[in-house]
Amino acid sequence: MRRAALLLGLALGAASVANARAPDLAQGRAVALGGGAGDQQACAACHGADGAGVMPIYPRLAGQAAFYLYKQLLDFRSGERESAVMGPIARRLTPREMEDVAGFYAAARAHYSPPADADGAQLQQGGTLAASGSEERGIPPCANCHGQAGRGMPPSFPYLAGQSKDYLAGQLAAFRNGSRRNDPLDVMRRIAGQLDTSDVSALAAYFAHVYPPARIQ
Amino acid sequence: MRLAFALLYLLAVSPAYAEQGDRMKGAALADQGRNGVPACRSCHGDKGIGDGSGAFPRLTGQLGFYLYKQLKDFAAGTRPSPVMSPIASALSDREMQDVAAYYSAVQGPFFPLPILDAKLAQRGGMISAAGIPERNVPACIACHGPAASGMQPSFPYLAGQYAPYLEYQLDQFRLNRRQNSPLNVMNDIAARMTEEDMRAVSEYLAAVRPPDLSRIGASSTGPASPYAGAPLATYQSTR
């Protein structure tokens, strides 16, 4: 019941930032590769032309839900999600450019190669927490919202699979310390508050090793 | 010598499992779970292929008797696992047979291979095929079958299994936390391997794709997977 209400709330939250017009992918590509009209850096310099992310600190955008990406850009602009890098970039984009570039990266397909280092015990700890949560510690399964194996549930729940360890751990820390407070109904801030450092490393390592959606051969 | 005993022992105990599980019921349990049992799929993925991470083993097409025995051992505590022991304890013997029958019969795709360290993989290939004679480590393929693709009834396939998972299990054998291999063969073997050996052989085995055995015994009534319920005799006569 509680969960149904929560999911409904999240869905309504999503509807309130409705982007009615279909994104123009060619314009989105122009922004990604050349920056927008406002003279910002090309997104591709950090996120890659294919959205794979050129370094572990830059999140993977390829195939992420367009609505989620668009909402992040709005939140960087408003400061609800603080980022010294993305804040100024987002503030120079027009809403239309945001829609287009979000659509472009949502449609992108990018390579993925799992990180070389793997600790089987840690992967299992993270994987189990992700799939089953921990009832006694009040941690819901990440799969409830982020989908099985972190594949995401568009439009509002981002995939986590295939994001880098550093990025994931960084976001969990940001939810925890409140510098990221753009999650509807505080869901992620509450969950992040329940996780200890070993959970965070295990979850981050696990999701970093899971193949992002649509990469099965 | 020891190995020969293990083989005999296995052949002697295997009839407990009659390959009679109901695949349809097994599929329902795997995909939906039931009250008190989570769906296997939530960790083992669609058709048991996992999620690419290596946190959870691939079950797709694994030997039915082997899977059944693991569930028994999780429940009995000879293979303790904080995740699997409670789940296995909640299953009835019948359900274990059903779900084992399902996974042994199902086929599924592989995730693309990560970039391999050529030197490491080569060393792993040597260990798999020839063992490490100076330390008395036998070749994996001696028991796990040609190309480590499994040997009925109880030697699981290792080819195509996830590297982090294999490495973790070898470590569990080495530390004697996993004690369910007949006469503890695997514990003895793992105790004679270095961390580097385990790493190398795991990376190598994960990259081996099962040989195309699809023509062997293929018929409309034949097993869905080359690893599935084929009796030992068929295996030998067609090879």
Tab-separated table of all heavy atoms in Angstrom, chain B residues 210-232:
chain	number	residue	atom	x	y	z
B	210	PRO	N	30.808	-23.175	-24.921
B	210	PRO	CA	30.619	-24.615	-25.071
B	210	PRO	C	30.717	-25.020	-26.537
B	210	PRO	O	30.305	-24.278	-27.425
B	210	PRO	CB	29.210	-24.845	-24.535
B	210	PRO	CG	28.582	-23.507	-24.428
B	210	PRO	CD	29.677	-22.510	-24.316
B	211	PRO	N	31.312	-26.183	-26.792
B	211	PRO	CA	31.419	-26.647	-28.169
B	211	PRO	C	30.025	-26.880	-28.723
B	211	PRO	O	29.081	-27.074	-27.963
B	211	PRO	CB	32.171	-27.971	-28.030
B	211	PRO	CG	31.953	-28.398	-26.620
B	211	PRO	CD	31.794	-27.157	-25.820
B	212	ASP	N	29.911	-26.813	-30.020
B	212	ASP	CA	28.592	-27.014	-30.606
B	212	ASP	C	28.258	-28.500	-30.624
B	212	ASP	O	28.670	-29.243	-31.496
B	212	ASP	CB	28.567	-26.452	-32.024
B	212	ASP	CG	27.177	-26.601	-32.626
B	212	ASP	OD1	26.239	-26.869	-31.859
B	212	ASP	OD2	27.043	-26.452	-33.846
B	213	LEU	N	27.544	-28.895	-29.610
B	213	LEU	CA	27.158	-30.302	-29.514
B	213	LEU	C	25.726	-30.493	-29.992
B	213	LEU	O	25.119	-31.527	-29.763
B	213	LEU	CB	27.260	-30.770	-28.061
B	213	LEU	CG	28.637	-30.675	-27.397
B	213	LEU	CD1	28.542	-31.110	-25.952
B	213	LEU	CD2	29.640	-31.532	-28.135
B	214	SER	N	25.209	-29.457	-30.648
B	214	SER	CA	23.771	-29.483	-30.914
B	214	SER	C	23.362	-30.650	-31.809
B	214	SER	O	22.217	-31.069	-31.807
B	214	SER	CB	23.325	-28.163	-31.538
B	214	SER	OG	24.161	-27.849	-32.625
B	215	ARG	N	24.323	-31.166	-32.576
B	215	ARG	CA	23.942	-32.273	-33.443
B	215	ARG	C	23.917	-33.600	-32.695
B	215	ARG	O	23.311	-34.555	-33.124
B	215	ARG	CB	24.862	-32.347	-34.659
B	215	ARG	CG	24.351	-31.525	-35.837
B	215	ARG	CD	25.425	-31.288	-36.847
B	215	ARG	NE	26.494	-30.473	-36.281
B	215	ARG	CZ	27.769	-30.825	-36.278
B	215	ARG	NH1	28.147	-31.950	-36.800
B	215	ARG	NH2	28.669	-30.025	-35.741
B	216	ILE	N	24.603	-33.639	-31.583
B	216	ILE	CA	24.654	-34.891	-30.838
B	216	ILE	C	23.281	-35.239	-30.295
B	216	ILE	O	22.698	-34.475	-29.538
B	216	ILE	CB	25.657	-34.799	-29.674
B	216	ILE	CG1	27.057	-34.657	-30.247
B	216	ILE	CG2	25.551	-36.011	-28.787
B	216	ILE	CD1	28.129	-34.592	-29.217
B	217	GLY	N	22.799	-36.355	-30.698
B	217	GLY	CA	21.524	-36.840	-30.179
B	217	GLY	C	20.376	-35.906	-30.480
B	217	GLY	O	19.347	-35.955	-29.814
B	218	ALA	N	20.564	-35.016	-31.467
B	218	ALA	CA	19.508	-34.051	-31.747
B	218	ALA	C	18.307	-34.746	-32.370
B	218	ALA	O	18.421	-35.492	-33.335
B	218	ALA	CB	20.022	-32.970	-32.688
B	219	SER	N	17.186	-34.511	-31.796
B	219	SER	CA	15.943	-35.024	-32.356
B	219	SER	C	14.845	-34.221	-31.704
B	219	SER	O	15.080	-33.500	-30.741
B	219	SER	CB	15.774	-36.506	-32.035
B	219	SER	OG	15.347	-36.646	-30.695
B	220	SER	N	13.655	-34.318	-32.217
B	220	SER	CA	12.605	-33.471	-31.669
B	220	SER	C	12.329	-33.809	-30.202
B	220	SER	O	11.808	-32.995	-29.470
B	220	SER	CB	11.342	-33.618	-32.494
B	220	SER	OG	11.005	-34.980	-32.578
B	221	THR	N	12.696	-34.995	-29.801
B	221	THR	CA	12.445	-35.355	-28.409
B	221	THR	C	13.706	-35.225	-27.553
B	221	THR	O	13.676	-35.460	-26.364
B	221	THR	CB	11.945	-36.799	-28.292
B	221	THR	OG1	12.908	-37.625	-28.949
B	221	THR	CG2	10.588	-36.975	-28.929
B	222	GLY	N	14.803	-34.866	-28.186
B	222	GLY	CA	16.074	-34.800	-27.475
B	222	GLY	C	16.114	-33.633	-26.505
B	222	GLY	O	15.207	-32.803	-26.478
B	223	PRO	N	17.154	-33.583	-25.704
B	223	PRO	CA	17.261	-32.507	-24.726
B	223	PRO	C	17.437	-31.152	-25.408
B	223	PRO	O	18.001	-31.076	-26.499
B	223	PRO	CB	18.514	-32.872	-23.939
B	223	PRO	CG	19.283	-33.790	-24.824
B	223	PRO	CD	18.291	-34.498	-25.681
B	224	ALA	N	16.951	-30.111	-24.768
B	224	ALA	CA	17.022	-28.781	-25.336
B	224	ALA	C	18.446	-28.259	-25.353
B	224	ALA	O	18.794	-27.406	-26.129
B	224	ALA	CB	16.136	-27.824	-24.544
B	225	SER	N	19.268	-28.763	-24.480
B	225	SER	CA	20.623	-28.288	-24.408
B	225	SER	C	21.545	-29.493	-24.405
B	225	SER	O	21.181	-30.556	-23.914
B	225	SER	CB	20.812	-27.493	-23.116
B	225	SER	OG	22.091	-27.739	-22.582
B	226	PRO	N	22.738	-29.332	-24.954
B	226	PRO	CA	23.656	-30.468	-24.949
B	226	PRO	C	23.979	-30.939	-23.534
B	226	PRO	O	24.379	-32.076	-23.335
B	226	PRO	CB	24.891	-29.923	-25.649
B	226	PRO	CG	24.721	-28.449	-25.683
B	226	PRO	CD	23.270	-28.175	-25.629
B	227	TYR	N	23.839	-30.058	-22.555
B	227	TYR	CA	24.158	-30.460	-21.186
B	227	TYR	C	22.991	-31.153	-20.507
B	227	TYR	O	23.131	-31.740	-19.463
B	227	TYR	CB	24.475	-29.243	-20.320
B	227	TYR	CG	25.525	-28.363	-20.895
B	227	TYR	CD1	25.271	-27.037	-21.131
B	227	TYR	CD2	26.770	-28.884	-21.189
B	227	TYR	CE1	26.239	-26.227	-21.655
B	227	TYR	CE2	27.741	-28.068	-21.728
B	227	TYR	CZ	27.473	-26.741	-21.953
B	227	TYR	OH	28.429	-25.936	-22.461
B	228	ALA	N	21.816	-30.991	-21.070
B	228	ALA	CA	20.623	-31.444	-20.365
B	228	ALA	C	20.588	-32.952	-20.288
B	228	ALA	O	21.375	-33.632	-20.904
B	228	ALA	CB	19.398	-30.923	-21.073
B	229	GLY	N	19.629	-33.409	-19.568
B	229	GLY	CA	19.428	-34.807	-19.193
B	229	GLY	C	19.966	-35.961	-20.036
B	229	GLY	O	19.509	-37.062	-19.817
B	230	ALA	N	20.885	-35.758	-20.974
B	230	ALA	CA	21.347	-36.901	-21.749
B	230	ALA	C	22.016	-37.921	-20.845
B	230	ALA	O	22.908	-37.577	-20.092
B	230	ALA	CB	22.329	-36.453	-22.824
B	231	PRO	N	21.607	-39.155	-20.904
B	231	PRO	CA	22.247	-40.154	-20.057
B	231	PRO	C	23.706	-40.347	-20.462
B	231	PRO	O	24.063	-40.089	-21.611
B	231	PRO	CB	21.430	-41.427	-20.307
B	231	PRO	CG	20.450	-41.112	-21.371
B	231	PRO	CD	20.520	-39.672	-21.708
B	232	LEU	N	24.500	-40.778	-19.531
B	232	LEU	CA	25.932	-40.916	-19.736
B	232	LEU	C	26.234	-41.749	-20.982
B	232	LEU	O	27.121	-41.429	-21.752
B	232	LEU	CB	26.533	-41.563	-18.494
B	232	LEU	CG	28.039	-41.434	-18.335
B	232	LEU	CD1	28.447	-39.980	-18.395
B	232	LEU	CD2	28.445	-42.049	-17.018
